[in-house]
Amino acid sequence: MTSSPTLPAQSTDTGLYLEVQQFYAHQMQLLDDRACDEWAATFTPEGVFAANGLPAPAKGRQTIAAAARAAGERLAAEGLVHRHWLGMLTVLPQPDGTVSARSYALVIQTRIGGGGTAELHRSTLCEDRLVRGEDGSLLVLERKVTRDDLA
Amino acid sequence: MTSSPTLPAQSTDTGLYLEVQQFYAHQMQLLDDRACDEWAATFTPEGVFAANGLPAPAKGRQTIAAAARAAGERLAAEGLVHRHWLGMLTVLPQPDGTVSARSYALVIQTRIGGGGTAELHRSTLCEDRLVRGEDGSLLVLERKVTRDDLA
Amino acid sequence: MTSSPTLPAQSTDTGLYLEVQQFYAHQMQLLDDRACDEWAATFTPEGVFAANGLPAPAKGRQTIAAAARAAGERLAAEGLVHRHWLGMLTVLPQPDGTVSARSYALVIQTRIGGGGTAELHRSTLCEDRLVRGEDGSLLVLERKVTRDDLA
């Protein structure tokens, strides 16, 4: 219609983009529902969860599940509910067959019995390398979460 | 590439998933624009809106429209603007032809003339059963909204 | 299944809807990463950025880039990180070949070293007219951002 853009087109294959969206929605619901083993199973068996808010990366499904379980128990003890929101997702297939996914992630925190108002517990950047499992579904090989306040 | 996933694939038909996304975006814009009759028309004629924050479910378009109108008037009188955000959507077609949609819903509240900062008025879980109207478009047969603070 | 809906179907062409989603995700990442020239290049050369929070519209890529740079420097000086989230997107192709996109936009603000809690700096309505550049990718011809608190 007009103009000379200098940026490469940013559109990924429609099917893959939607598949990643659905994968994240499902994955976040598992985490927030404290389905810790199912959450951990969305990582590869040796998957890595690294975050600048954690002392060390969690490696492997057992460790990832245990960390989620501990976090969930802390929240329950404090009477808090967390909801993880991912958005502003970009997806780039890599030459080696993995998929790079970059998104923003929020943690919304609500106090049970606290009257309703929620707070933005965290604002982060989430960088994933995704691969396909044996049945073809997506799995996280490596996740890096960067808290904005620690950037 | 690697690993043995234990979860079933969570990818729904691409077209349906996007249709639900668009349906929700349109529906939330109607609500926040106080197009109350149009909002109510996104439910079936006998549609149900139930919420753990409400004394009783609203049943039928007239009741749903009246509730939206009353809420809108309250907000206007208090000088507040609400924006409803849905996200982390999963969609599962059911054997009976209905569609189960599960999402997170936020209510963002801003005070007119308040300097700009908004607040997270509510964080909720939204569980819908969707059906198709005579012209094929999606409608809410039943909605259940669960406030995180009352969970 | 049931009922007589009174609303026209709101589903846009699947490919276009996803393309706009991806365009926005990429565009917001550029802005928040302070890639100001790349951000400005997502507008047409004479593109317009108008907002009820700004004294005058920014016109043309140079002006749009300069405004982003100035805002980025202000944030850096104050030790703040911004993340722009767009959501609740509706997309309507127009008879003249342009595309109308209406969405909600949030600005999430986090203070570096501030302990982690973020705030909802702004809640806005974003109305875009999009066109295609010579290579077929989407560009913003005209953007109008309306802050909820100034509505």
Side-chain angles (χ1 to χ4, degrees), chain B residues 20-142:
Chain B
V20 177
Q21 281 192 354
Q22 295 190 55
F23 172 74
Y24 281 143
H26 179 58
Q27 195 193 36
M28 295 303 112
Q29 291 194 10
L30 290 176
L31 177 60
D32 296 333
D33 289 348
R34 297 178 191 168
C36 299
D37 291 323
E38 291 82 353
W39 149 259
T42 63
F43 289 76
T44 63
E46 315 77 24
V48 175
F49 184 110
N52 68 345
L54 295 178
K59 290 183 188 174
R61 286 180 178 165
Q62 263 191 308
T63 312
I64 290 170
R69 209 155 4 245
E73 284 163 9
R74 241 179 358 254
L75 289 175
E78 296 177 37
L80 298 172
V81 176
H82 275 190
R83 300 268 176 214
H84 289 76
W85 284 65
L86 263 70
M88 301 295 95
L89 169 68
T90 52
V91 172
L92 282 178
Q94 300 299 312
D96 65 0
T98 65
V99 173
S100 288
R102 191 181 197 264
S103 63
Y104 296 169
L106 297 175
V107 185
I108 310 288
Q109 179 171 289
T110 309
R111 183 168 295 281
I112 295 172
T117 304
E119 66 175 347
L120 269 176
H121 182 61
R122 294 285 181 267
S123 173
T124 72
L125 178 68
C126 177
E127 294 166 293
D128 275 357
R129 199 141 58 98
L130 305 174
V131 295
R132 293 205 177 272
E134 277 166 17
D135 71 350
S137 62
L138 292 169
L139 297 170
V140 179
L141 181 66
E142 205 169 3

Side-chain angles (χ1 to χ4, degrees), chain A residues 21-22 32 45 113 132 139, chain B residues 1 3 12 21 102 104 149:
Chain A
Q21 281 192 354
Q22 294 189 56
D32 295 334
R132 293 205 176 272
L139 297 170
Chain B
M1 180 127 233
S3 93
T12 293
Q21 281 192 354
R102 191 181 197 264
Y104 296 169
D149 64 308

Side-chain angles (χ1 to χ4, degrees), chain A residues 51-53 102 122-125 127 144-151, chain C residues 32-34 76 79-83 110-116:
Chain A
N52 68 346
R102 191 181 197 263
R122 294 284 181 266
S123 172
T124 71
L125 178 68
E127 293 166 294
K144 187 180 151 204
V145 176
T146 307
R147 273 171 52 178
D148 287 345
D149 65 307
L150 303 177
Chain C
D32 296 332
D33 289 347
R34 296 179 193 169
L80 298 172
V81 176
H82 275 189
R83 299 269 176 213
T110 309
R111 183 168 297 282
I112 295 172

Side-chain angles (χ1 to χ4, degrees), chain C:
Chain C
M1 179 124 235
T2 170
S3 93
S4 48
T6 58
L7 280 182
Q10 264 295 330
S11 292
T12 293
D13 163 53
T14 291
L16 176 63
Y17 189 76
L18 266 178
E19 195 183 350
V20 176
Q21 281 192 353
Q22 294 189 55
F23 172 73
Y24 281 143
H26 179 57
Q27 196 193 36
M28 294 304 110
Q29 291 194 11
L30 289 176
L31 176 61
D32 296 332
D33 289 347
R34 296 179 193 169
C36 298
D37 290 324
E38 291 82 355
W39 150 258
T42 63
F43 290 76
T44 63
E46 315 78 23
V48 176
F49 184 111
N52 68 346
L54 295 178
K59 291 183 186 174
R61 287 179 178 165
Q62 264 191 306
T63 313
I64 290 171
R69 205 151 11 242
E73 284 163 10
R74 244 185 348 257
L75 289 175
E78 297 178 35
L80 298 172
V81 176
H82 275 189
R83 299 269 176 213
H84 289 76
W85 284 65
L86 264 69
M88 300 295 96
L89 169 68
T90 52
V91 172
L92 282 177
Q94 300 298 311
D96 66 359
T98 65
V99 173
S100 287
R102 191 180 198 263
S103 63
Y104 296 168
L106 296 176
V107 186
I108 311 289
Q109 178 172 287
T110 309
R111 183 168 297 282
I112 295 172
T117 304
E119 66 174 347
L120 270 176
H121 182 61
R122 295 285 181 264
S123 173
T124 71
L125 178 68
C126 178
E127 293 166 295
D128 274 358
R129 199 140 58 96
L130 305 173
V131 294
R132 292 206 177 271
E134 278 165 15
D135 72 350
S137 62
L138 292 169
L139 297 171
V140 179
L141 181 66
E142 205 169 2
R143 170 165 296 176
K144 187 179 150 204
V145 176
T146 307
R147 274 171 50 178
D148 287 345
D149 64 307
L150 303 176

Side-chain angles (χ1 to χ4, degrees), chain A residues 115-131:
Chain A
T117 304
E119 65 174 349
L120 270 176
H121 182 60
R122 294 284 181 266
S123 172
T124 71
L125 178 68
C126 177
E127 293 166 294
D128 275 358
R129 199 141 58 97
L130 305 173
V131 295

